Amino acid sequence: MPKPKKHVLVCVQGRPAGHPRGSCQDKGCARTWQAFSDEFTSRNLWAAGFQLTNTGCLGPCHLGPSVIVYPEGTMYVGVTPEDVGTIIDEDLMFDQPVARLRAPADVWA
């Protein structure tokens, strides 16, 4: 498999209700994951050299849903389905991170 242009990782971690760390699942990550999957399909991004993977915990559960875009390692938090098109249009297509969604520096360097 060739190296992808960009690789998007979307947290889909779930934890039991009341867990002290919370989870992206409690914050709607399934809808965010589905929005990425739908956009990748409708824009044919896999054929264009992009990769999409759902993952377990990425760290800042209390700020989820969390998404990381590699190879830059840009972490986004609080990502909603409505944000997915912006991440694709700006970060994946033009290498411009979406400032309003970036994780705070104390969460992700």
Side-chain angles (χ1 to χ4, degrees), residues 13 16 18 26 39 46 48 52 63-64 66 69 75 79 87 97 100:
Q13 177 71 46
D26 290 343
E39 287 293 319
W46 283 286
L52 175 65
L63 298 174
S66 301
V69 177
M75 177 175 266
V79 179
I87 292 171
R100 70 180 172 80

Side-chain angles (χ1 to χ4, degrees), residues 6 13 17 29-30 36-37 42 44-45 49 62 74 76 80 90:
K6 298 245 182 169
Q13 177 71 46
C29 67
F36 269 108
S37 183
S42 68
N44 203 20
L45 294 177
H62 63 291
T74 303
Y76 297 112
T80 67
E90 296 180 19

